Amino acid sequence: MSRILGVLGGMGPAATVAFLARVQALTPAQGDADHIRVVMDMNPQVPDRNTRPGDAEAELGRMAERLKAAGAEVLAMPCNTAHAQKPGIVAAGLPFIDMIAETTAAVKATGATAVGILATPGGEALYVAALIEAGLTPVVLAGEDRAGFMACVYGVKRGDVGVENRAAMARLAAALAASGAGAVIAGCTEVPLLIAQVDVPVPLVDSAEVLAAACVRACKE
Amino acid sequence: MSRILGVLGGMGPAATVAFLARVQALTPAQGDADHIRVVMDMNPQVPDRNTRPGDAEAELGRMAERLKAAGAEVLAMPCNTAHAQKPGIVAAGLPFIDMIAETTAAVKATGATAVGILATPGGEALYVAALIEAGLTPVVLAGEDRAGFMACVYGVKRGDVGVENRAAMARLAAALAASGAGAVIAGCTEVPLLIAQVDVPVPLVDSAEVLAAACVRACKE
């Protein structure tokens, strides 16, 4: 049994391509035909999720409808922040694999009780609520580190995945661990374009990897 | 001015993801919104283009129609072999960026007169015709090298991009140069997943790179 995966992408574009590569890497395949069919709308022009949330939700809803018309049977969106606009997406009537919920479950499974969050302000708010609901304690970036995180993310969106940007993101993850986090969520799909588990002193739960694995389960089982 | 690019993908999946990454790399961008919107149908279950060409053409036609309905304004397909089914795609009525034609023009611009072809039998036939039409002399793989080429390609489709598979593809490119080719076309989108210009003693014209550049021109200008 195989389902067609619909991807609401482009937020950002590089993270979306990395997500597609992860879905493929996690799919057991001996040839093309074993892979999941993916219909995607990579739309880098979705209105800003922070400054125009209503417009963003309406646009994501239209994207979901068009993916459904194009054959999608399950929807996923490799952007944590835009999950605040989830109601617009689920209105299309397809199952939606919730990246925040899947990642929260994965970090709970590490056994950590205090969990650091690397995310945009909007994504952080979603994870804080989800972690508390799951009985876990959120640990968030403080002071100048909040602006530093966004500088790293916008660097990736400009194409900067260089050594300095990587080091800056690693330092932010270390700061969360130093603040008591027993695990850290890479809760923005740009994060894994800069750091991996080897760069972080506690378990790193990568939301893009978690979502890709959930998509493979949903579409191949 | 920006147009929405429709991608008929999945032949194969890894080559499609690499193609999307190339389009992004070739797009001048300071942030997400500068990137091209891409609607894609990555369909790894398109019927075999060699054994079921009629079924493949019908399916590619349906994919083109659905991409058009999803908003695509220009179509491209990062699979050389499937260009034999181009009539089914253009029937949808959108401009189609022809990878064979673009690559033939690019190899002619190198100044080479004898041109080696690394492609499947179906893709090779398309390039032989296009090169002759352009006044160039095709140089094709001979004897066991033809089966060797397909073994390399199916290796990539199984996920094998290891050192032995890379060396085998480099040897095939060198054989074409030794047979008199003044340039070599990487005329199958799996080829650049194994070798790059540095591995080939004459200019290597990568059809995926050529198509990605043509897509950026068509959608951003």
Side-chain angles (χ1 to χ4, degrees):
Chain A
M1 211 279 302
S2 189
R3 290 194 188 90
I4 300 177
L5 178 65
V7 173
L8 299 105
M11 303 160 278
T16 302
V17 169
F19 169 76
L20 294 171
R22 272 159 204 263
V23 169
Q24 284 178 17
L26 292 169
T27 305
Q30 288 300 312
D32 288 357
D34 297 326
H35 281 281
I36 295 167
R37 183 169 180 179
V38 178
V39 294
M40 177 185 76
D41 186 347
M42 177 153 64
N43 182 1
Q45 285 92 35
V46 172
D48 190 291
R49 279 71 72 196
N50 295 301
T51 59
R52 297 170 57 198
D55 291 341
E57 185 166 324
E59 179 65 15
L60 290 167
R62 285 189 289 271
M63 290 163 65
E65 288 287 356
R66 291 212 268 189
L67 289 171
K68 185 180 179 181
E73 297 166 282
V74 179
L75 295 178
M77 177 169 64
C79 172
N80 290 277
T81 312
H83 275 64
Q85 281 76 46
K86 175 179 169 179
I89 297 166
V90 298
L94 290 180
F96 176 65
I97 305 176
D98 187 312
M99 191 180 203
I100 309 292
E102 295 285 342
T103 303
T104 300
V107 79
K108 183 156 186 166
T110 67
T113 53
V115 175
I117 306 168
L118 290 172
T120 67
E124 184 186 272
L126 297 173
Y127 276 113
V128 165
L131 290 170
I132 290 172
E133 174 75 21
L136 303 172
T137 304
V139 181
V140 300
L141 294 171
E144 293 182 357
D145 282 351
R146 301 182 72 77
F149 177 80
M150 291 309 295
C152 289
V153 169
Y154 282 112
V156 173
K157 289 176 183 292
R158 276 195 314 274
D160 176 8
V161 291
V163 62
E164 287 183 20
N165 207 17
R166 290 173 182 274
M169 186 63 84
R171 198 184 56 72
L172 295 170
L176 289 171
S179 297
V184 169
I185 292 174
C188 172
T189 48
E190 271 77 20
V191 174
L193 303 181
L194 294 174
I195 59 170
Q197 180 62 68
V198 68
D199 304 306
V200 183
V202 296
L204 180 72
V205 176
D206 175 359
S207 59
E209 181 88 11
V210 169
L211 182 63
C215 289
V216 174
R217 286 195 304 274
C219 293
K220 290 295 284 185
E221 284 173 7
Chain B
M1 208 282 301
S2 188
R3 288 194 190 91
I4 300 176
L5 177 65
V7 174
L8 299 104
M11 303 160 277
T16 302
V17 169
F19 169 76
L20 294 171
R22 273 157 201 262
V23 169
Q24 285 179 17
L26 292 169
T27 305
Q30 288 300 311
D32 288 357
D34 298 326
H35 281 282
I36 296 167
R37 183 169 181 179
V38 178
V39 293
M40 175 185 78
D41 186 347
M42 177 153 65
N43 183 1
Q45 285 92 36
V46 171
D48 190 290
R49 281 71 72 195
N50 294 302
T51 59
R52 296 171 57 199
D55 291 339
E57 185 167 323
E59 179 65 15
L60 290 167
R62 284 188 291 271
M63 290 164 65
E65 288 287 354
R66 293 212 267 187
L67 289 171
K68 186 179 180 184
E73 296 167 284
V74 180
L75 294 178
M77 177 169 63
C79 173
N80 290 279
T81 312
H83 275 63
Q85 280 77 45
K86 175 179 171 179
I89 297 166
V90 299
L94 290 180
F96 176 65
I97 306 176
D98 186 312
M99 191 179 204
I100 309 293
E102 296 284 343
T103 303
T104 299
V107 80
K108 184 156 187 167
T110 67
T113 53
V115 175
I117 305 168
L118 290 173
T120 65
E124 185 187 272
L126 296 174
Y127 276 113
V128 165
L131 290 170
I132 291 172
E133 175 75 21
L136 303 172
T137 304
V139 181
V140 300
L141 294 171
E144 293 183 357
D145 283 351
R146 301 182 72 77
F149 176 81
M150 292 309 294
C152 289
V153 168
Y154 283 112
V156 173
K157 290 177 182 293
R158 275 196 314 273
D160 176 8
V161 291
V163 62
E164 287 183 22
N165 206 18
R166 290 173 182 274
M169 186 63 83
R171 197 184 57 70
L172 295 170
L176 290 170
S179 298
V184 169
I185 293 174
C188 173
T189 48
E190 271 78 22
V191 174
L193 303 182
L194 293 175
I195 59 170
Q197 180 61 69
V198 67
D199 304 306
V200 184
V202 295
L204 180 72
V205 177
D206 174 0
S207 59
E209 182 88 9
V210 169
L211 181 64
C215 289
V216 173
R217 286 196 303 275
C219 294
K220 290 295 284 184
E221 284 172 9

